[in-house]
Every structure is written in structure tokens, then in C-alpha cells.
Amino acid sequence: MDGGLHQWVLVVVCLMILVRSESFFVDITYVESAVAKGAVCLDGSPPAYHFDKGFGAGINNWLIHIEGGGWCNNATTCLARKSTRLGSSKLMAKQVAFSGIFSNKPKFNPDFYDWNRIKVRYCDGASFTGDVEAVNPATGLYYRGARVFVAIVEDLLAKGMSNAQNAVLSGCSAGGLTSILHCDKFKSLVPTSAKVKCFADAGFFINTKDVSGAQHIEQFYNDVVTTHGSVKNLPQSCTSKMKPGLCFFPQNMVEGIQTPLFLVNAAYDSWQIKNILAPGVADPHGLWHNCKTDINKCSTSQLQVMQDFRTAFLGALSGVQNSATKGYYINSCYAHCQTEMQETWLRDDAPMLNGKNIGKAVGDWYYDRSPFQKIDCPYPCDKTCHNRVFE
């Protein structure tokens, strides 16, 4: 083996050891009792989660974190989803790795390591908002996400969350949107004596035009809400004022949320750049392909379009910025979901904003040690980012 290859193998082995030391595997739990309530995945299978029990001083503290994974907006896309882990618990991995906000080590997760930490699997396709009683025999699709949310919370209440002193609803991506949309609902379901707050990681999806000038995401969300019958599970403070599909956007309903809420988001959210700003349908010649894969490959004009996206994103945050009960950590990274991985949650080389890693800022805000409402300078000023590179 030549020297260069030997060094490369050594680096890979060291990285694998590091990742292993920073994470551990947790078994799946199926909520079989939910089936009788009609609280099921798209294919009718029971909902599921992964639960690592709290210990010591954290035994009555609960972190419920919702998995991400986009949405399905009609029978065709939901049928395709039904035959994946995002539509059926029969196809979910039996174990998932816990790290970052899920870590059970004080070094990696000082404020939540000893809490009951639950990762809720996502299998309804509408951020847990759907509730359609009828099941079309032709498709066999169940749109029951809102029932699943309640059934999972009830199951956890029966497993000790009824004694909760602290409770957090969090999530990443579509799960982050869930934690925004269901924040007040979650508070109403847990004991009134508990301190309850919500975190959303990469869940602040904005309503903006794509590069072709079309309202692509607005139409998509409208279809999601219509297909899944979500209107009755969206905040009434919003649906009384505008079309239900618009209430799937946090910018239109976040002001009405009473429960304290913290947003972690990249201003150049890689999922939103790829799917809201420059979706394939708006870029038929693939001019954005390289840029979406790696921000370093963006042209000057593409970077300007992304700076305009950041401006729109910050404008959409206005409902959060004047609130004493809300916090936010908006960095200038090309990233999506930064709380579930140790390297972006809390580590010596993790992203920093105002001298704090994400894990420190979230912990300080939850425990009222210090508020945090910070927005990073524009790209490429932040040298602490872990910018995503896609294959």
C-alpha cells in the first residue's frame, strides 16, 4: 500500500471511530394501540418511534423530536411514498443512530443528555396534519397524520410523560415544520405544570417564487393541505384570514403561537435552495445543477439570486423577531438540519454564531439562562460553516 493510500485509509478509520463514539443505536417501538384509533401511516401500518430513556436528574424531562422527509401532495406521490419508510413502518430501519440533540453524553449534549429522548418516525406525508376518514379502495391510502401525532403523545404520556417537568417538541425539516404547526397542540396535551417549549430545525420553509418566476412551493403546499384534509389541524388564527395552504408556511402562522419557540435555520437552507428556489421543473436545462450540489460552484449571478433568497427568508422571519418568547439562530451556511449531527450541534469545530454553537444557544434559551435572537452576516463571511456537498 503506498503512503498516500495508507494515510487515506487511516483518516477514514479515524472518522468511523469518531462517529461511533459520538452516536449509539436505539431500537424501534411500534405503537400498535394506535391502529384501533385509525392513527396509522399512509399504508395503514402502526406509527413508530425510537426511545432512549432518561436517567438521573432528567428522568421527568422529555424531548420529542420529529423526523423529516418532505411531503406528498396527491394520490400519485403518496402512493409512491407508501412503499418507502416514509409511508410505512414495515419498511423502517429497526434501529437508528442517536447523536447531537439525542446524545446521552454530557460532553456532547450538556443540557438534554439525561432527558427521555424520542425520535418520532414520519410516515404520513403532511407534517402530521392530515385527517381524512375515508380510505379510497383504489389506492388504500390513509391520510391520518394528525391522529398519529396525538396517538404518539398519548402513548408517551402513558410511559411516564404524564409526570413531565420539562417537555420539548422539536424536529428537523418537515419534522421541524411539525414542531411549529403543532407547538401549541403539544403544550395542551402534556401536564399543565410542565415547562414546555418547541424547537424547529430547518422547518421554516418560506413562500417565494422559483427561478422561473412561478409560485411552485405555494401550489405544492396547497395540494398537500387539500389531499390530506389538513385544514382543521392548522391554526385557526391563520385559516380564518387566508387560504389553508398558506397556513402551512410558518411565516403566516408563527406570530399566533403562544408557546415559546426557537428556530434553527440556515439562511441558505440547502433543501429550500434545491426545491423551492431552483426545483428541477424551474430549471429544465440544469443550469443550477452544480450550484445546488456545491455552493462553491455557484456563478456570480446565481450567488446574487441566493442572496435575494436570504433577504426574502429574513423578511419572512418578521413575525418572530419582535417576540420575547421566541428565539432564533440563523446562520449563513449551505446546510439543512443541524441539530441531529454532532458535528453541527455541539463540537469544537461546530458552526458558531455570536460565539455560540447551536447546542449551547438552544440550551441557554430553553433554561432561560440567556435569550438568543441572532442572524449571521451574509455568505461567505462565516468560516465555521459545515456547508453541504451533494453527490
Side-chain angles (χ1 to χ4, degrees):
M1 194 186 294
D2 65 57
L5 184 62
H6 185 263
Q7 275 183 311
W8 182 81
V9 169
L10 207 60
V11 167
V12 170
V13 170
C14 288
L15 276 172
M16 285 170 72
I17 291 167
L18 179 68
V19 168
R20 281 221 181 111
S21 71
E22 289 178 350
S23 65
F24 61 102
F25 285 91
V26 177
D27 291 334
I28 199 165
T29 299
Y30 301 101
V31 189
E32 302 285 359
S33 61
V35 178
K37 303 170 187 172
V40 292
C41 298
L42 283 170
D43 71 334
S45 58
Y49 57 73
H50 302 258
F51 180 5
D52 191 47
K53 286 192 166 68
F55 53 92
I59 203 155
N60 288 319
N61 299 338
W62 294 75
L63 173 81
I64 318 298
H65 184 94
I66 314 284
E67 179 183 34
W71 309 271
C72 60
N73 65 326
N74 55 41
T76 305
T77 57
C78 291
L79 263 177
R81 192 180 177 95
K82 178 180 160 182
S83 56
T84 73
R85 64 177 175 82
L86 291 167
S88 172
S89 61
K90 295 174 192 167
L91 300 168
M92 292 171 184
K94 301 286 187 283
Q95 291 187 319
V96 295
F98 270 29
S99 67
I101 198 169
F102 295 117
S103 177
N104 60 358
K105 294 188 171 74
K107 174 186 169 187
F108 295 134
N109 191 24
D111 287 309
F112 308 106
Y113 74 95
D114 55 357
W115 287 36
N116 295 283
R117 286 148 288 111
I118 294 98
K119 181 169 191 170
V120 177
R121 301 303 295 266
Y122 176 37
C123 66
D124 69 281
S127 288
F128 295 82
T129 60
D131 194 355
V132 177
E133 180 63 36
V135 178
N136 183 335
T139 61
L141 286 166
Y142 293 79
Y143 300 118
R144 302 284 179 77
R147 291 192 205 182
V148 169
F149 182 81
V150 173
I152 282 175
V153 172
E154 286 174 347
D155 193 62
L156 294 170
L157 285 167
K159 288 180 176 172
M161 195 165 68
S162 56
N163 301 315
Q165 292 166 351
N166 292 284
V168 162
L169 177 66
S170 69
C172 133
S173 192
L177 178 59
T178 303
S179 71
I180 299 172
L181 294 173
H182 281 308
C183 184
D184 286 342
K185 173 85 172 171
F186 178 69
K187 183 167 174 42
S188 74
L189 292 169
V190 299
T192 50
S193 57
K195 173 176 176 161
V196 180
K197 294 190 179 186
C198 305
F199 311 151
D201 176 12
F204 204 89
F205 299 91
I206 68 164
N207 188 10
T208 192
K209 289 179 178 170
D210 65 29
V211 291
S212 75
Q215 294 282 6
H216 174 72
I217 190 67
E218 184 178 312
Q219 185 56 54
F220 182 82
Y221 272 3
N222 190 61
D223 293 345
V224 171
V225 168
T226 304
T227 298
H228 290 262
S230 303
V231 58
K232 56 187 171 291
N233 298 304
L234 296 171
Q236 229 180 331
S237 56
C238 180
T239 54
S240 60
K241 290 186 293 203
M242 56 185 85
K243 282 193 322 192
L246 292 172
C247 298
F248 217 63
F249 291 101
Q251 69 201 73
N252 294 327
M253 49 70 65
V254 74
E255 239 175 314
I257 297 173
Q258 304 296 305
T259 310
L261 171 70
F262 193 92
L263 304 172
V264 174
N265 228 105
Y268 310 91
D269 183 291
S270 55
W271 192 93
Q272 296 197 51
I273 298 295
K274 289 165 71 178
N275 297 282
I276 294 180
L277 181 64
V281 67
D283 179 36
H285 302 295
L287 302 177
W288 277 81
H289 176 78
N290 289 344
C291 174
K292 291 194 292 185
T293 306
D294 182 348
I295 196 168
N296 292 311
K297 294 179 178 169
C298 296
S299 68
T300 309
S301 61
Q302 285 171 332
L303 281 175
Q304 186 50 56
V305 173
M306 286 168 73
Q307 298 296 9
D308 294 342
F309 177 87
R310 173 181 178 270
T311 303
F313 184 88
L314 298 182
L317 275 178
S318 60
V320 181
Q321 287 171 300
N322 307 318
S323 169
T325 61
K326 295 181 175 76
Y328 48 86
Y329 188 112
I330 311 298
N331 59 13
S332 286
C333 306
Y334 188 61
H336 184 66
C337 288
Q338 301 179 89
T339 63
E340 297 178 1
M341 291 192 308
Q342 202 59 50
E343 63 180 84
T344 44
W345 170 247
L346 188 81
R347 214 167 68 180
D348 291 345
D349 62 341
M352 300 276 275
L353 181 53
N354 221 50
K356 286 187 184 181
N357 293 145
I358 293 167
K360 178 85 171 94
V362 170
D364 284 350
W365 177 82
Y366 180 81
Y367 281 111
D368 304 306
R369 293 191 292 253
S370 61
F372 198 93
Q373 295 185 328
K374 300 293 177 195
I375 293 167
D376 212 346
C377 48
Y379 177 87
C381 70
D382 188 338
K383 303 306 177 203
T384 68
C385 283
H386 290 226
N387 290 325
R388 291 284 297 273
V389 177
F390 298 89
E391 293 307 319

